[in-house]
């Protein structure tokens, strides 16, 4: 086998490796992972949550407090389910942007929006964006949301600061994320499900590395009070959270104080 082929095999193997936060290439690894799993992303979400993820997204949008004609940004939008729910709430006179750094995810989100044809409440815009360096002006949105995405930020504090920056004073940041239950028996079930069954589902989906990364990312993510502290450090106020599904899901809400001006 030629050296060129060896290098190609090594590069392909590295591209499929499980993302590691200890690597300087972590963001690129996560992007590559989501590009790979985009085609099975919706199916896997439904399998892992028994379809409940749709209801959790609806609850997250409830917390955003949007009205008809408002504007919203959905960061790490994936295939666009939460983005489309935001658009439904603000109506055809509102403005919703779904942002993600996986082009394959964005392609699927656009296809999903096109199939729904706006349904009389308008269509969101889907565009590429880095959560750590958002391409939007200060104070440009009435609400900012992230659904199951902040665990994948290479720098959580910087990411929360960026989400806060583009939020208008008085607007809300809403974060929907997986969290670890602390009480038995649910904590035991959660451990078995995420440590054993989710990676098995990943093997069936053809990408065991990606779905081995998922439980690892949950374990490394701060508990609800830890995320609330980071949100407070970014300048948000009135921070509260709701735990759902027996402690597996948390929805955090923070409001940007009116005194923040356009910063």
């Amino acid at each position: 086998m030629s050296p060129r082929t060896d290098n190609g095999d090594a590069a392909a193997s590295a591209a499929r490796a499980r993302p590691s936060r200890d690597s300087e290439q972590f963001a690129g690894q996560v992007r590559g992972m989501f590009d790979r799993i985009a085609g099975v992303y919706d199916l896997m979400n439904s399998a892992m949550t028994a379809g409940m993820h749709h209801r959790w997204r609806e609850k997250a949008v409830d917390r955003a407090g949007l009205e008809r004609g408002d504007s919203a940004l959905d960061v790490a939008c994936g295939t666009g389910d939460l983005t489309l729910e935001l658009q439904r709430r603000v109506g055809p006179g509102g403005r919703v942007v779904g942002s993600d750094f996986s082009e394959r995810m964005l392609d699927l989100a656009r296809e999903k929006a096109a199939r729904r044809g706006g349904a009389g409440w308008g269509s969101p815009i889907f565009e590429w964006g880095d959560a750590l360096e958002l391409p939007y002006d200060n104070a440009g949105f009435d609400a900012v949301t992230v659904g199951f995405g902040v665990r994948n930020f290479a720098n959580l504090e910087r990411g929360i600061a960026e989400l806060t920056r583009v939020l208008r004073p008085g607007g809300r940041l809403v974060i929907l994320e997986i969290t670890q239950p602390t009480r038995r028996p649910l904590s035991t079930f959660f451990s078995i499900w995420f440590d054993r069954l989710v990676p098995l589902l990943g093997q069936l989906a053809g990408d065991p590395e990606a779905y081995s990364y998922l439980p690892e990312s949950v374990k490394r993510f701060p508990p609800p009070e830890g995320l609330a502290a980071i949100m407070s450090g970014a300048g948000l106020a009135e921070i509260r959270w709701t735990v759902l599904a027996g402690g597996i899901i948390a929805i955090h809400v923070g409001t940007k104080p009116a005194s923040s001006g356009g910063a």
Side-chain angles (χ1 to χ4, degrees):
M1 184 177 291
S2 68
R4 182 175 181 177
T5 303
D6 288 342
N7 290 340
D9 289 347
S13 177
R16 292 188 63 86
R18 181 170 60 188
S20 171
R21 288 193 176 274
D22 298 327
S23 170
E24 294 182 358
Q25 289 77 41
F26 174 72
Q29 291 172 343
V30 171
R31 182 185 301 114
M33 178 188 73
F34 279 108
D35 282 341
R36 295 197 315 267
I37 67 173
V40 298
Y41 183 76
D42 285 347
L43 178 62
M44 289 293 289
N45 278 349
S46 293
M48 290 187 298
T49 68
M52 289 298 295
H53 66 102
H54 295 295
R55 183 59 183 146
W56 298 333
R57 293 178 206 273
E58 291 174 0
K59 286 181 177 292
V61 175
D62 289 343
R63 306 298 197 276
L66 289 165
E67 298 181 355
R68 307 293 278 187
D70 280 349
S71 62
L73 171 66
D74 184 27
V75 176
C77 68
T79 59
D81 285 334
L82 200 154
T83 316
L84 289 165
E85 181 63 22
L86 289 167
Q87 185 69 60
R88 188 178 74 84
R89 303 297 179 93
V90 302
R95 169 178 171 251
V96 176
V97 178
S99 173
D100 204 287
F101 69 174
S102 166
E103 290 286 2
R104 181 58 182 143
M105 287 284 191
L106 290 169
D107 287 343
L108 293 173
R110 295 183 187 109
E111 292 172 9
K112 186 179 294 183
R115 288 197 302 271
R116 298 188 184 184
W121 30 264
S123 295
I125 298 168
F126 290 102
E127 55 192 21
W128 190 94
D130 182 345
L132 303 189
E133 195 172 348
L134 293 169
Y136 307 111
D137 293 336
N138 293 351
F141 296 94
D142 296 302
V144 177
T145 62
V146 188
F148 305 114
V150 292
R151 283 179 296 104
N152 303 309
F153 288 2
N155 185 315
L156 182 56
E157 289 78 6
R158 180 178 169 184
I160 298 298
E162 269 292 273
L163 303 178
T164 304
R165 177 184 66 79
V166 301
L167 187 64
R168 71 162 176 81
R172 294 179 179 179
L173 170 62
V174 182
I175 298 173
L176 168 65
E177 193 51 88
I178 304 170
T179 189
Q180 291 193 82
T182 57
R183 295 183 178 179
R184 295 181 178 180
L186 189 60
S187 60
T188 302
F189 169 78
F190 181 87
S191 178
I192 294 172
W193 176 250
F194 268 77
D195 291 343
R196 300 180 185 178
L197 298 183
V198 168
L200 179 59
L201 286 173
Q203 289 182 1
L204 296 175
D207 203 318
E209 294 87 357
Y211 288 95
S212 294
Y213 162 77
L214 174 58
E216 177 184 296
S217 68
V218 173
K219 290 176 182 178
R220 289 188 173 223
F221 194 68
E225 57 271 19
L227 178 58
I230 293 172
M231 294 171 68
S232 178
L236 295 167
E238 302 175 20
I239 299 165
R240 59 192 186 279
W241 66 87
T242 303
V243 178
L244 306 174
I248 293 175
I249 300 296
I251 302 176
H252 283 69
V253 183
T255 302
K256 187 170 183 177
S259 61
S260 294

